[in-house]
Structures are given as structure tokens and as C-alpha cells.
Amino acid sequence: GLLGDGGLLSTAGILGGSSGLLSRGGLLGNGGLLGGGGLLGVLGEGGLLGTVQGLTGLRIVELTLPRVSLRLLPGIGVHLNLYTRVALNAKSLLGLLDIAVEVNITSRVRLTMDGTGYPKLVTERCDTLLGGIKVRLLRGLLPVVDNLLASVLNRLLPNLLCPVVDVALGLVNDQLGLVNSLVPLGLLGSIQYTVSSLPLVTGQFLEVDLNTVVGQVAGGLVDYPLGKTEAVPTPPWVPMPPLPPMVDTSSSQLGLSVNFLSSVLSVLQKEGALDLDISTGMFPELPPLTTSTLGALVPAVFEAYPESHELLLKIAVPEAPVVTLKKNKGVIQLMATAEVMVIHPDDVQRSLCLLNINTSLLAQFSVEDNKLKIGVSLEKADVSLVSSSVGGFDVSLLEMLVDQIFDVAFLPAMNSVLGVGVPLPRLLNIDFTSADIDVMEVSAQAFPE
């Protein structure tokens, strides 16, 4: 039968016997297509695979965009996995080889601090795993897939591909280096951010602690400067607590201390950016600033100046504002002085009265263009009389006018100064624009997420 002694698969059949298709003289024989003198002969001793040990000129000609995955290694740094497809050229004894190979690169990367205080990622180990190797000889004449070639490439490719990891880490290190930076605070000062210690690496997050030094354009430093400090009164230091749990929808979190916010306002106050002079007509929403307007509220003023004179109101902030952060609420305690000057003929100015105005301002926080913006509104104001050239009077008569001056003139001017924004630190090019913000009780922080 078909499978019997004389059939297809018998010793004398088409696949068997001395002249069968699979016999020594057939397809697999010495002279057959896949035999010693055939196609596999090229791959045998003295053939292509006998030359792969001597591959020369191996170079990468194309690298597809890698797929990168990261896993944090607690106390160490990062485990990096990179998958890509690589096209290479090499020379062999038989001519030019075109090689295509799939590569998985795994690398263990340690987070360190270099000698200048910059965080830095350093490769500790790099391994490559190859798969799907395809080789073309003489422009497609011979496709080859072979374990021996894989062994050779496994020995050669790490020297070519692991430097790719180092290049990628170099780009990341460039971004990490931007954290230590000196950035302008408008035209009035600057903020210096520096990494204070080796960042903490856990299985869930990477935490970087920063020192902030806020300085004036041509003056001393505020907050925690290095070296000798200018005698600048600073508010009591509030310790920085741990960050709260990060919500699942966030990939990054930034905590700002009350000390930092107070330092920024201190610089603005020392530079006089919060001071404001107001004359009649500057703000159409205000009543005319004249002795007649003031005399209608305070009879002693009308008695001293029966003829109307223009007034100049000089508002100054002699002390640094104090920031307090409560749950979902930021409060700025600001003490201002308001001196009322009477303008006499020939522009001679004489003081009419000096007021102390202790205010409580509500602060709202937002992030635009990666800058923290602070907006303030008046919660309450307490007015007291310091001195007067017309004798004592009941200052409560001026409270409504003072509130109106703050709402229409002083606070918009202050918001214009604060609207420049406080530049936030750059970490791995994270942009906190339009971030959600939490204000926390006593922990004294505003948290963009």
C-alpha cells in the first residue's frame, strides 16, 4: 500500500533509499540543496557563520523610537527597561551584512549627588536581550537566523547600545541639573533653588527636598542664606511636614512652606513694591481726595481747613507681611501706615494725620506659566490714629473711606505686584500650570498637584 514496503515511505520509496529525496544523495545529501555543498554549506565551516566571529565595522544605522518603562528601586534609584528595534551594518569575509534585531535593554540606575550638589543618575549595570535577529547578505541574497550570530551580537551590541542608555540618562541629568537654579522674582529680587540632600527613593515616589534663598536685587538675602546675613527680621520658622498622600490622578506634587511665601513677601516689602501714593483723580472710583471730603467726615479737619486743599495719601508697609496658612485658607497679616498730606501753595506738603491700618488679607493661590500667583482681598481692617495736626478725633469715622481706598486702589496695586508670580522650581521639566492647590492647616503649605 501507500505506506507499505514499496510505498511512499518505504526504504525504496520516494523519501527513502539511496536515491530518495531525504537520502544522502537527495535534498539533505552532500551534494543536495541543503547539504554540504549546498545552501547550508555557506553556513558551515568556512562559510558565513565561520566569519561572524570576525565581524568588523559594526554600526547602528537605524534605531526605532524606544518604548521605555521605569520602576523605582527603594533606596537605590531606577530599574529601566528599554525595547527597540535596531538596524545595523557590518562587514564580513563574505561581504556587507544588513542586520535587524529586536533588543530589550535593562539597566539598574543609581541616584547620587555629584560633587557640586547636583542630583545625578548613574548606570550601575546594563544588560541586553536579543530577539528576532534577521541578517541579509549581499542585499537580500541570503536570509539568516542563527544562534551563533546571536551569541556574537550579544557580545558586541552592549558596547553599542548601553551607551544609548547613558545618553538618555545624560538628558535626564541635564533636566535634574535645572533644579539648582537662580530665577528672577520680577525686577525686584531672585530665588535660588538648591537640592538640600540626596533625594529619597521609595517604591512609589521620588522625593526631592529643596532649599530656597530669596534675595533682593542689590541687598541681602532673606530666609536661609549661606554666609553672613543682612539683619532682616524674619517670621518664626515653621518646620516642613511630610507631604500628604498624592491622589491617583496626579503624577507629581510640590509643597511650598509658609517660610518661603513669607520670604517672597518680605523682599517685596523691603523693595518698597507694596508702597503706594494716591492723589486726587488717580482713581475715578474714589471721592476727591480733598480737605473738604475729609472735613465732611471729621469736623476738626473742616475747622482747620475751611478752604478746600488737595490731599496726598502716602500708604507704606513698614514691616514684612506675615503669612498664615489654615485649612483651605491663606491669610496675610499686613500692617500699613497711611499719612495724609495737605498740599499747600507752591506744592508744600504738611502732614494732617498719620494712621496705622492693621489688615487681614485673604490669599488665593493659582499656578500660571509654572509660576505661583497670589491674589489678595480684604477680610478686615483696624484703623488707629498715631498722630494728628488737628487734634484727636474718632478714626472710626474714616473706616468706610479706608476700606474703599483699599478695595479700589491699594489691593489692586498689590495684586498687580503679586501677579508677576513666583517662579516654581523645574524638576524633570514638570509644569504645574493649572495645578490643583490644597492649603493645609499649620502644615503651612500650598500644594500644587
Side-chain angles (χ1 to χ4, degrees):
L2 181 63
L3 302 180
D5 189 51
L8 180 64
L9 299 183
S10 68
T11 55
I14 187 172
L15 297 182
S18 59
S19 58
L21 185 60
L22 301 181
S23 67
R24 288 182 178 274
L27 180 64
L28 297 182
N30 251 351
L33 178 61
L34 301 180
L39 184 60
L40 292 184
V42 180
L43 306 182
E45 185 178 351
L48 172 62
L49 297 184
T51 70
V52 294
Q53 303 286 350
L55 287 178
T56 60
L58 188 65
R59 64 188 182 92
I60 297 175
V61 294
E62 185 179 353
L63 189 67
T64 61
L65 187 65
R67 292 203 307 262
V68 180
S69 60
L70 299 174
R71 178 167 53 87
L72 293 174
L73 299 176
I76 298 174
V78 177
H79 179 274
L80 182 148
N81 182 267
L82 186 151
Y83 168 81
T84 185
R85 290 190 293 271
V86 184
L88 309 103
N89 286 158
K91 295 178 182 178
S92 73
L93 296 179
L94 296 179
L96 185 66
L97 296 180
D98 292 328
I99 305 171
V101 60
E102 296 179 358
V103 184
N104 265 305
I105 304 173
T106 58
S107 183
R108 173 171 153 149
V109 180
R110 182 171 291 275
L111 182 59
T112 65
M113 295 277 283
D114 65 15
T116 59
Y118 285 84
K120 185 177 182 180
L121 293 169
V122 179
T123 302
E124 284 192 335
R125 189 181 70 239
C126 180
D127 300 309
T128 60
L129 178 64
L130 307 184
I133 302 173
K134 296 181 181 179
V135 179
R136 292 189 303 167
L137 174 66
L138 302 178
R139 301 298 178 191
L141 177 62
L142 181 65
V144 178
V145 179
D146 193 271
N147 289 334
L148 179 56
L149 182 59
S151 174
V152 173
L153 292 177
N154 269 316
R155 191 171 66 249
L156 297 178
L157 282 182
N159 294 329
L160 287 175
L161 296 178
C162 284
V164 173
V165 175
D166 292 334
V167 170
L169 292 180
L171 297 175
V172 176
N173 286 331
D174 288 343
Q175 293 294 327
L176 286 174
L178 296 178
V179 180
N180 284 4
S181 58
L182 184 67
V183 293
L185 181 60
L187 300 175
L188 303 176
S190 62
I191 301 174
Q192 183 177 358
Y193 292 109
T194 55
V195 178
S196 62
S197 59
L198 181 66
L200 171 68
V201 183
T202 73
Q204 291 77 39
F205 58 84
L206 169 67
E207 182 174 298
V208 182
D209 290 334
L210 299 178
N211 285 331
T212 58
V213 177
V214 185
Q216 298 167 249
V217 169
L221 301 173
V222 184
D223 205 350
Y224 311 109
L226 300 175
K228 186 176 180 180
T229 68
E230 183 178 320
V232 179
T234 57
W237 182 74
V238 179
M240 187 76 170
L243 294 174
M246 189 160 50
V247 297
D248 294 338
T249 56
S250 297
S251 60
S252 56
Q253 189 178 55
L254 175 65
L256 301 177
S257 72
V258 69
N259 307 294
F260 172 69
L261 298 174
S262 295
S263 296
V264 170
L265 292 179
S266 179
V267 165
L268 298 179
Q269 177 267 327
K270 286 185 66 64
E271 289 290 334
L274 304 180
D275 299 345
L276 180 66
D277 290 352
I278 305 173
S279 59
T280 191
M282 281 182 62
F283 298 93
E285 302 90 339
L286 293 177
L289 293 182
T290 64
T291 54
S292 296
T293 300
L294 205 58
L297 300 173
V298 181
V301 173
F302 181 76
E303 292 175 4
Y305 296 96
E307 293 185 7
S308 184
H309 291 72
E310 288 192 358
L311 300 176
L312 175 66
L313 183 60
K314 301 171 71 71
I315 301 178
V317 181
E319 300 176 3
V322 177
V323 180
T324 304
L325 297 180
K326 303 177 181 179
K327 185 173 178 59
N328 299 323
K329 181 180 180 181
V331 178
I332 299 175
Q333 302 295 333
L334 182 143
M335 197 280 285
T337 62
E339 187 170 17
V340 182
M341 309 295 293
V342 180
I343 302 176
H344 291 269
D346 300 325
D347 287 333
V348 176
Q349 300 178 10
R350 292 193 177 95
S351 177
L352 175 63
C353 63
L354 178 65
L355 306 174
N356 273 347
I357 307 173
N358 286 313
T359 66
S360 177
L361 307 178
L362 295 178
Q364 298 83 38
F365 302 98
S366 61
V367 181
E368 299 176 19
D369 299 326
N370 209 46
K371 294 180 180 179
L372 180 70
K373 303 294 183 76
I374 305 173
V376 295
S377 58
L378 183 63
E379 183 179 40
K380 64 179 180 177
D382 295 325
V383 184
S384 60
L385 181 64
V386 179
S387 63
S388 168
S389 64
V390 296
F393 58 87
D394 184 4
V395 293
S396 65
L397 300 172
L398 298 178
E399 287 181 351
M400 186 175 296
L401 178 60
V402 168
D403 287 350
Q404 189 178 9
I405 290 172
F406 262 68
D407 285 336
V408 171
F410 181 77
L411 292 183
M414 183 175 178
N415 282 328
S416 178
V417 173
L418 297 176
V420 174
V422 181
L424 298 177
R426 288 285 186 180
L427 180 60
L428 296 179
N429 212 29
I430 297 172
D431 190 346
F432 288 100
T433 296
S434 301
D436 295 329
I437 296 180
D438 293 331
V439 182
M440 302 188 64
E441 180 87 32
V442 180
S443 14
Q445 297 153 66
F447 286 106
E449 294 184 353

